[in-house]
Each structure stands twice: as C-alpha cells, then as structure tokens.
Amino acid sequence: MATEAKRPKVDDGSQMDPLQSFLQWCNRVGLVLSSKVCVSKEGTVADYGMLAKDNIEEGEVLFTIPRSALLHQETTKVSALLEKERSCLESSSGWVPLLLALLYEYTSPQSHWKPYLSLWSNFKTLDHPMFWSKEERDRLLKGTGIPEAVDTDLANIQREYTDVVLPFITKHPDLWSPSTHTLDLYTQLVAFVMAYSFQEPQEEEDDEDDEEEKAPNPPMMVPMADMLNHVSNHNANLEFTPDSLKMVCVRPIQKGEEVFNTYGQMANWQLLHMYGFTEPYQSNSNDTVDIPISNLYKVATQGIQSDLDRQLVEEQWEMLSEMMQEKAAFVFGKQGCLTDTELQTVLKVLCMSAEEFSEFKDNEGWEEDDEDDEASLAFSNEGLPGLKASWKWLIHEAARLTLRSYGDEEEQGVKSDQALMEDKAAFKGLSSRQQNALQVRCGQKSILHRLVELTKS
C-alpha cells in the first residue's frame, strides 16, 4: 500500500452525484481528460483518486486544465474588489486574497465553482493535526516538532483573521458576513489550501542586478489535479505552460494502477502537518528528522569544569546565534545530513580552542576551503563514522538528547514503536490519528537511532 488516505470521506447519501456534477463541469470549462484515465472512489488509496483504464506510456498527457478553470484571487467573481483593496489584505502568509475568494465562492449558491467545491461538502473531515485536541497532539506527536508548528499556525490564523480578514468582510457586508464567514470556516479553508493548493514555480531569470529574493507565487486551487493522491515514488507530474496546466506521466503506468502526483520531497511529519496523512515510514524515501541546534549547545556545555571553558562556549554560542536562524535545526534524512554545511560550521566553532576562536574572530570568519566542498560526503551515512572524535561525540549526544524528547526511554522507545508497527493486528486496531502519529515517530526515531549507531566512538 502506497499511502494512507489523503481525501476526506464524504457521506451525504449520494456518493457519486458530486463527482458526476464535477466531471460535467470539467467538460463545460474545457478541462480535457484522457480516455485512458478515470476518477474513482474504488480501487484508490483514498476517497477520490485517478486510475489508469489502459496502459499509459511515459510522456503522455493525462489531463489538461485551461488557466481559466483555476480558482484563485484573479478568477473569482470578487477579483476586482480584491485587487482594488490589495494593500489592506497583506499578511505574513500571503494567502488572504485566495482565502477571501474561497470564503465567497464556497458559500455562494450561484458560484461558478460550486460543482468543484461541492466535492468537499464538509471541510471538518480534513484531519490535519490543527483539528486534533491540544492534548491529543501533545501526547501522540511529542518530540516530532508538529505540536509546536501547529500552535504557531493556529496563532497566526487567528491573528490574520482578527486583524485583516474580519475588518475587511465587515466593510463589505454585501459579499461577506461575520456570522457565516467565521474563524472556524476560515481555519478549515486554510487547511483546504494547505492540503489541495498548488504553487506555480518561479521563473528563473538571469538578472545579476536583481539581488532581492522574489516572493513565492501565491497558491491556487487546481481542479482535477488535486484529485490525485501523493507518494514519493510518483508516476505523474504537473507541468505549467502559459495557457494551461498539464498532468504528464513520468513513467509507464499499467492498466488498473493508480495515478500518483507528488507534492515535493516531503517527510512524513510535513505530510501530516500540511496534508493530514502519512506514507508508511519505510517507503517514504524523503523522511527526515530535525536535531535542534540548541541540543548541540546543551551537549557542548555538559561537564564543563572551569569558568574559562564555560565563557568560551558561551562566546562561541553567541556568535553562532548571530550566524544561524532563530530556532535553527539540522535536518537528517535516510542517507545522512541534508544541512551539512551549517552543521559543519557549528561543529567547527564549538570545537575550537580559545586560541583558534580568537583567531577566527579576528579574521571575521574563515576562508572557503576544500573541507566545505566535502561536507556533503563527510556527513553522509558513509562519512559519519570517519569524522573527528570531538565532532562525532557532539552529534552522537545531540541525537540521543533528541531521542529522549519523545518522552520514552531512548532505546526502548524505538523498539516498542517498531514492534507496534510490525504487529499488523495491533496496528489495525489503532485510530487513523494514532497510526499517522506512529508512522511519523517511527520514521524520525529510526533515523536518529541509525545516527547514534554511526557516531559511536
């Protein structure tokens, strides 16, 4: 099985009616679906999915969506107003214009997008951790980083709604109503955008004078493309052209197989946080775990005897804090460290003698050297056992400290979670939330456990 269900279940007594209505709408708006595929609820890993009705060769186009069929702030009925009032809709997320468009279109009986949006008759069936109770998040997902990310999300959503959205919809009572377009509905639509929207890649420009990093393109809803489920080992990919978007087969698909898209290189904790599902941790080649930089600092300060040594570490940490982002973390995947350059910098600084650190400060850093080019190999699974003893010790102890953050015994926690995962009857008896949380924990702990083994002295 490739993945857990991405799609929320719809049980309204007329299961195929919304789908048939949507497919008829697709014909009206010029969305062209290949005769070799069909949208189905049967034979897919989730509620809705796409199946191959015939063998499909690499390069074949599965469907084509005209840009006029995309739902975003420029295609909604309220687009003129959103453009006119753009300056007062700015927010840290950049999603407010799309969310206002969705608030309007989702609740308008005459909406052009009604057959599409009716596929999601109740957004409360989305099962992102933001809809779990705080107690459930903290208990099932402790140590994974998800509870902290969700707390930040919910605070930002409430602030955005209160400070930006509510004043705007109150100002336009002919189009929105605070009693209908509530914070609750707004939060559900945020989850909908997280799970189902697409962002067009930035165009690459060879403009050396333009040093400012461009803001990412805003998200948009792409009917039909969002029917496809995700696996890391996908067989289709969405391509953007000036006139349309096309889902293209990237490797042969056999008759009866499901068509899978990809959301990018997503670890299980990211999939659960943003989409509400996970892949079986052993099959997700993109699984990762974070080791907070603060854990390396805690390890570096262990067992310090003299005031001079403590002062040195404090000064080193202060410099690193200025160099690194707040709450920085080192990302480890199945093959080693994915943030190797940053990890190398921290290890170099924390392992400097007082004389080396003084020289480092005087020179305002170091010159680029060959070691930087070799960081990727040095911090791979193959290279980790050969690191300097002082570096290995820091990584080893930081990994152990991170393992303890899951709230159970370091070694026993890894074994008990994996034993539960391998017991098919026991795993099947868990709720979907418990299963997803277990997939995340197992994936992260297995990477940390391997790291501990690779860095043993």
Side-chain angles (χ1 to χ4, degrees):
M1 179 171 165
T3 176
E4 288 295 317
K6 166 191 166 188
R7 301 294 171 213
K9 297 293 180 184
V10 179
D11 185 14
D12 58 2
S14 56
Q15 286 189 333
M16 291 306 295
D17 288 346
L19 180 55
Q20 292 301 329
S21 176
F22 168 66
L23 293 174
Q24 291 173 8
W25 178 86
C26 288
N27 287 330
R28 292 198 300 272
V29 301
L31 192 155
V32 180
L33 186 66
S34 167
S35 61
K36 291 187 175 183
V37 295
C38 66
V39 180
S40 175
K41 287 188 171 185
E42 302 298 326
T44 63
V45 299
D47 190 20
Y48 291 116
M50 182 168 285
L51 296 175
K53 294 165 60 179
D54 201 348
N55 293 340
I56 303 171
E57 297 300 320
E58 181 179 342
E60 288 193 52
V61 176
L62 306 178
F63 53 85
T64 302
I65 312 161
R67 284 189 176 266
S68 57
L70 308 178
L71 174 51
H72 51 82
Q73 57 262 40
E74 294 177 13
T75 57
T76 177
K77 190 174 180 180
V78 293
S79 60
L81 176 62
L82 295 177
E83 175 61 26
K84 179 183 176 184
E85 302 273 3
R86 181 171 56 177
S87 61
C88 67
L89 300 179
E90 294 179 358
S91 68
S92 58
S93 75
W95 290 11
V96 169
L98 172 61
L99 289 163
L100 282 167
L102 287 172
L103 283 171
Y104 174 80
E105 299 291 353
Y106 185 67
T107 55
S108 172
Q110 292 79 36
S111 173
H112 167 68
W113 310 96
K114 186 173 178 59
Y116 164 60
L117 294 172
S118 293
L119 292 170
W120 296 276
S121 61
N122 187 347
F123 288 132
K124 290 181 179 178
T125 54
L126 292 169
D127 203 29
H128 295 60
M130 68 166 63
F131 299 121
W132 305 9
S133 70
K134 181 170 176 55
E135 183 277 331
E136 199 169 18
R137 283 197 302 272
D138 291 343
R139 173 169 47 84
L140 294 178
L141 297 169
K142 183 177 181 180
T144 65
I146 296 176
E148 295 79 5
V150 171
D151 288 344
T152 299
D153 288 344
L154 292 176
N156 288 341
I157 290 168
Q158 180 157 7
R159 187 183 309 111
E160 188 172 82
Y161 181 82
T162 303
D163 296 348
V164 182
V165 175
L166 188 56
F168 182 81
I169 65 176
T170 304
K171 184 180 174 183
H172 301 282
D174 54 324
L175 299 170
W176 294 277
S177 166
S179 60
T180 300
H181 304 106
T182 60
L183 173 61
D184 187 43
L185 178 58
Y186 189 77
T187 303
Q188 293 165 27
L189 286 169
V190 169
F192 178 56
V193 172
M194 287 173 71
Y196 291 97
S197 68
F198 291 79
Q199 279 183 291
E200 186 161 5
Q202 289 279 16
E203 290 185 13
E204 294 184 9
E205 296 183 5
D206 299 328
D207 188 356
E208 296 180 2
D209 297 328
D210 186 11
E211 295 183 358
E212 290 188 13
E213 187 175 333
K214 289 187 176 180
N217 287 318
M220 56 187 175
M221 311 313 298
V222 184
M224 189 61 75
D226 53 19
M227 305 287 277
L228 273 63
N229 293 300
H230 159 96
V231 291
S232 52
N233 186 25
H234 61 290
N235 52 27
N237 191 50
L238 189 64
E239 296 184 359
F240 295 77
T241 71
D243 299 322
S244 63
L245 277 62
K246 299 179 179 181
M247 189 65 71
V248 180
C249 178
V250 296
R251 57 183 175 83
I253 305 173
Q254 301 300 310
K255 179 179 179 180
E257 280 190 61
E258 182 164 0
V259 180
F260 288 103
N261 187 21
T262 177
Y263 305 154
Q265 295 180 331
M266 306 289 286
N268 263 348
W269 78 265
Q270 294 169 309
L271 288 173
L272 185 56
H273 171 220
M274 296 179 63
Y275 300 95
F277 76 100
T278 59
E279 290 189 64
Y281 82 96
Q282 288 182 320
S283 68
N284 187 349
S285 58
N286 299 312
D287 225 354
T288 64
V289 65
D290 290 359
I291 294 183
I293 186 175
S294 57
N295 281 4
L296 267 83
Y297 169 71
K298 290 174 184 176
V299 171
T301 56
Q302 287 176 5
I304 291 180
Q305 300 295 323
S306 71
D307 291 340
L308 281 177
D309 286 344
R310 180 169 295 280
Q311 182 180 348
L312 174 61
V313 173
E314 294 294 345
E315 289 180 9
Q316 291 168 337
W317 176 249
E318 185 177 349
M319 174 172 282
L320 289 171
S321 298
E322 293 174 0
M323 296 168 63
M324 302 287 176
Q325 292 182 346
E326 186 181 1
K327 296 182 180 178
F330 305 109
V331 183
F332 282 84
K334 291 190 171 184
Q335 304 306 319
C337 184
L338 304 180
T339 51
D340 43 73
T341 303
E342 294 84 351
L343 178 57
Q344 184 179 50
T345 296
V346 171
L347 292 171
K348 276 185 175 182
V349 172
L350 287 178
C351 292
M352 284 178 177
S353 65
E355 293 76 18
E356 289 170 332
F357 186 62
S358 177
E359 183 180 349
F360 177 74
K361 288 191 296 182
D362 291 342
N363 293 336
E364 296 183 347
W366 49 67
E367 302 268 337
E368 293 292 326
D369 55 33
D370 293 338
E371 287 186 19
D372 293 328
D373 298 329
E374 298 171 1
S376 179
L377 178 60
F379 294 102
S380 67
N381 287 352
E382 292 75 18
L384 283 165
L387 289 176
K388 298 175 185 177
S390 57
W391 290 16
K392 277 206 302 183
W393 180 79
L394 279 171
I395 296 172
H396 180 84
E397 292 301 321
R400 293 186 62 199
L401 185 58
T402 306
L403 270 171
R404 291 197 289 273
S405 70
Y406 293 86
D408 44 31
E409 290 296 324
E410 179 185 315
E411 184 78 22
Q412 191 58 38
V414 176
K415 290 181 178 179
S416 61
D417 275 354
Q418 288 186 340
L420 180 56
M421 183 73 71
E422 291 165 5
D423 186 336
K424 293 182 179 179
F427 182 77
K428 192 174 181 181
L430 300 175
S431 69
S432 62
R433 292 179 178 182
Q434 290 172 324
Q435 289 178 357
N436 282 326
L438 183 61
Q439 301 279 18
V440 173
R441 294 198 311 270
C442 269
Q444 292 187 344
K445 287 181 179 181
S446 66
I447 293 171
L448 287 169
H449 184 65
R450 186 187 303 115
L451 184 58
V452 167
E453 292 297 312
L454 290 170
T455 53
K456 277 183 176 177
S457 300

